[in-house]
Amino acid sequence: DRLVWVGDMHPETTTIQAVFGYDESVPKSLDFVRDETPLPGWMNGFPAYSMWWIIIQYDWFMHTGDLNYLKTQKKYLIGLYELLSSEIDENGKDITPEVRFIDWPSYQNIPVVDAGLQALHVLATEKLKKIFNILEEMDMVNQCEEDLKKLKAYKSDYKDSKQAAALLVMAGLEDPQKVNEQLLQVGDAKGMSTFMGYYILTARAMAGDI
């Protein structure tokens, strides 16, 4: 469909970085979807995909060290952070609007989607904090710290979802060994999805399992 699907982009760009190194398709795609999504819009209609865009921006900078490119994203990153920050309730829960989405197997499983989005919101805010520190936007760093305190205080229920559990482990919201023993390593590949397989394996690696 020649669209830039940002959620799919993260495993794609991670692979590109590992196998090929720099490729101009990455910044071109990041810029294209940014320009096609004026704020307060959500990339591809999914708040989660705007969070993935932030994560990719940080990972791409860490891979390339291209500070000049990162600086071109500053205005949008600040606006996107302010939008995300407004979508945290008084209990610290992510309340980003529809379409609330992690992957297709978990679609419409509300508790699982809530847990996954809570984790993604933490991951994106942590990446933003690091980006703003690099860009010397210290007021934004402090605001990210406050949001992280609220987000991490909220306890999510991942049910029996390996996808949501893995994201919570990666966000530091669940214990890797406990989650791996109780869920991730159970049934081998059962419960894994194509999109989220990388993150499930990452969480298992964090538990020292693979």
Side-chain angles (χ1 to χ4, degrees):
D1 56 20
R2 299 185 65 80
L3 295 176
V4 176
W5 293 99
V6 187
D8 301 68
M9 259 191 86
H10 188 255
E12 291 166 355
T13 55
T14 301
T15 302
I16 289 169
Q17 290 163 194
V19 179
F20 304 109
Y22 180 86
D23 190 284
E24 67 177 2
S25 65
V26 176
K28 279 187 173 182
S29 296
L30 291 170
D31 290 351
F32 175 82
V33 72
R34 177 202 64 202
D35 294 342
E36 290 292 309
T37 316
L39 296 170
W42 301 104
M43 292 178 177
N44 307 127
F46 301 136
Y49 281 22
S50 290
M51 298 180 203
W52 282 120
W53 186 85
I54 293 165
I55 294 167
I56 297 167
Q57 286 286 350
Y58 175 77
D59 289 355
W60 190 243
F61 171 77
M62 292 303 291
H63 177 74
T64 65
D66 190 345
L67 182 58
N68 289 331
Y69 176 73
L70 187 64
K71 287 179 177 178
T72 67
Q73 312 300 324
K74 183 170 75 170
K75 182 179 178 181
Y76 193 91
L77 284 164
I78 289 174
L80 180 52
Y81 163 70
E82 291 173 343
L83 180 61
L84 283 170
S85 183
S86 71
E87 299 292 350
I88 305 170
D89 74 9
E90 65 276 8
N91 298 312
K93 184 180 185 296
D94 165 89
I95 54 169
T96 47
E98 296 291 349
V99 177
R100 291 176 63 79
F101 179 86
I102 296 300
D103 68 350
W104 289 114
S106 65
Y107 185 52
Q108 295 184 331
N109 187 332
I110 294 174
V112 168
V113 174
D114 285 353
L117 286 174
Q118 190 75 19
L120 269 182
H121 203 145
V122 168
L123 287 167
T125 305
E126 286 180 336
K127 302 300 187 186
L128 281 166
K129 177 184 171 182
K130 294 176 180 178
I131 288 171
F132 291 140
N133 195 45
I134 293 164
L135 296 175
E136 299 181 341
E137 293 287 337
M138 301 316 294
D139 287 344
M140 305 304 296
V141 170
N142 294 334
Q143 290 180 43
C144 287
E145 288 177 349
E146 292 302 311
D147 282 355
L148 285 168
K149 289 177 185 177
K150 292 187 289 184
L151 289 164
K152 291 181 177 182
Y154 185 82
K155 180 68 174 177
S156 297
D157 184 357
Y158 54 83
K159 301 296 183 182
D160 60 350
S161 168
K162 290 184 176 181
Q163 303 97 302
L167 290 173
L168 288 166
V169 167
M170 292 174 63
L173 300 177
E174 291 288 346
D175 178 72
Q177 283 76 26
K178 177 182 176 182
V179 171
N180 186 56
E181 290 174 5
Q182 294 181 352
L183 178 62
L184 299 182
Q185 69 179 5
V186 178
D188 297 319
K190 183 179 180 181
M192 292 184 68
S193 69
T194 305
F195 171 39
M196 297 299 295
Y198 169 74
Y199 309 102
I200 295 170
L201 293 173
T202 297
R204 291 188 64 178
M206 290 173 66
D209 188 27
I210 55 176

